[in-house]
Amino acid sequence: MNPQNPPRVIHPWPLRVMHWLNAFAIIVLIGSGWEIYDAAPFLPFSFPQWMTIGQWLGGAIAWHLAAIWLLVINGLSYLTWGLLSGHFRRKFLPLTPRMVIQDMTQALRLHLPHETGVYNAVQRLLYFGVIFLGILVVLSGLAVWKPVQLWFLSDLFGGFFISRVVHFVAMTGIALFLAVHLILVALVPKVLPPMITGGRLPENTTPTTTMAE
Amino acid sequence: MKSLPLNRRKLITRALGFGAIGLLPGCDFDHPNHPDLTDRVLSAMSRWNDEAQATLFDRHTLAPTFPASAITRPARFNAFYDISQAPQVNPGTWQLALTGRIANKTPLTLADLRAMKQESQITRFVCVEGWRVVGQWSGVPLAHVLKAINADTQARYILFHCADGYFTSIDMASAMQPQTIFALDFNGGPLTAPFGAPMRLRIPTKLGYKNPKSIVAMEVTNRFPGGYWENQGYNWFGGS
């Protein structure tokens, strides 16, 4: 094997490990969060019991405040790794409104541009968006958890109740992202195995993808 | 770059397949005497969260206070029983029994507490369920009571027993926070039975279940005392 040209995986191992840890944490946090919401709903609906995790409020809070450590530690690792390894720069940039409009038009016509190892502009925008929502949901969650000790966060969001609303809205955005994410995987199932095995980039890739991870 | 022509029917059936992911093994976390592995992990994480909250706690950080116009009316009753079941305590014969690491164990009467320095606060009461109300409570700062009875304020915990069988405990640092009071009055008059007459703990740096009502006994201890809800799975520190 030529050391200058090692096998180029689609998803390097740190990304795969963090992806599945994150998937587990997010499912637990959303499921237990819905149970917590149900204890005092502020909208005219509750989540059905079968969709929630924890079975009762005490169980849901225990799950929620256990999984948050996994989400935060894993999320900080991801942000650090993404910045230092150049992953964000290579995969998420460049991103211009023109690119987004172009790819969005294609996606809405159900002609999804897909090239192995390359994110289209809509995907890039969605990843930026969900990372932002992830930061927002953690900060608003801290504001709900500790409105006295973390009063500055509570004040930032406009008080205890608005923190709850922001937390709920951010969760909704992440849940919608997750739905789109899963539907896309269902549509293009060949993208799933590489998130487990790493996969291999095809030989004749375009110059943007030749930079090995 | 190739485009993928999509089949809408395939889309729906595959999406349904992913629905199965939602069926995670259930964990009820409600059998404290027969904990399974998940229960043990969640309990350990809850103890870890107690430590994290104790580290985050600063006794000089005050809970926000509110104007009288913000007081929630009518006041909201909440307990593990109906309002008609609230314990009726005779204020004339009521005493606060004192046990544990306290030098002067003479039980305190209402007259004793009324004679001590009084503090008034309009603070927010946040329930673990997520709702909150604002009320006015007046009474004696707990730090002042502990000093008056010569309690060991280096001890770790304070345990409270209530007339209705409820019990809960708090850490010493939170007990010494200036807004932590033995409340005697609520919204301008003496406490009524549903709201914890004749004396309750009002601790605005903790969630509602750490604010025991109709207290009849207090113990200062280094042995972890747990609590009614805490022993069933609620987080012990319960900080706000």
Side-chain angles (χ1 to χ4, degrees), chain B residues 67-128:
Chain B
S69 59
I71 293 175
T72 308
R73 296 185 196 276
R76 179 169 178 168
F77 169 79
N78 192 61
F80 56 95
Y81 44 75
D82 185 76
I83 189 166
S84 62
Q85 306 291 309
Q88 302 289 330
V89 180
N90 181 345
T93 56
W94 177 87
Q95 286 191 325
L96 178 68
L98 303 173
T99 56
R101 305 178 66 84
I102 295 170
N104 181 0
K105 292 197 175 69
T106 311
L108 291 170
T109 64
L110 272 185
D112 294 334
L113 291 176
R114 289 273 179 205
M116 293 182 191
K117 99 172 180 181
Q118 308 284 304
E119 289 275 340
S120 183
Q121 58 175 261
I122 300 176
T123 50
R124 182 177 55 202
F125 182 105
V126 179
C127 180
V128 66

Side-chain angles (χ1 to χ4, degrees), chain A residues 40 56 65 69 110 146 186, chain B residues 4 14 28 49 53 129 232 239:
Chain A
W56 70 293
L65 293 181
W69 289 95
L110 293 183
K146 289 287 164 278
Chain B
L4 298 163
R14 282 183 185 162
D28 45 12
N49 279 321
Q53 292 172 90
E129 293 174 354
Q232 298 177 57

Side-chain angles (χ1 to χ4, degrees), chain A residues 24 27-28 36-37 39-40 50 53-59 61-63 65-69 106-107 110-115 118 144-151 154 159-161 164 182-183 185-190 192, chain B residues 1-8 10-11 14-15 18 21-30 38 42 45 48-49 52-53 56-58 61-64 124 126 128-132 204-205 229 232-235 238-240:
Chain A
F24 174 74
I27 288 169
V28 168
I36 295 168
Y37 165 89
W50 65 267
I53 291 173
Q55 294 210 3
W56 70 293
L57 180 59
I61 293 173
W63 274 107
L65 293 181
I68 188 59
W69 289 95
Q106 294 230 49
L110 293 183
H111 288 286
L112 295 177
H114 179 82
E115 186 180 353
V118 183
V144 172
W145 184 52
K146 289 287 164 278
V148 175
Q149 301 304 329
L150 303 179
W151 54 271
S154 189
F160 180 76
F161 179 70
R164 270 192 84 191
L182 291 178
I183 288 169
V185 173
L187 292 172
V188 193
K190 69 168 183 177
L192 182 58
Chain B
M1 194 180 288
K2 50 182 182 165
S3 285
L4 298 163
L6 301 177
N7 174 326
R8 284 180 181 79
K10 216 155 74 177
L11 184 155
R14 282 183 185 162
F18 279 105
I21 288 172
L23 302 171
L24 276 180
C27 173
D28 45 12
F29 199 57
D30 66 357
T38 320
L42 292 179
M45 286 305 295
W48 167 257
N49 279 321
Q53 292 172 90
L56 197 58
F57 180 82
D58 177 358
T61 300
L62 296 181
R124 182 177 55 202
V126 179
V128 66
E129 293 174 354
W131 51 267
R132 81 286 186 219
T205 53
W229 283 118
Q232 298 177 57
Y234 276 179
N235 173 257
S240 198

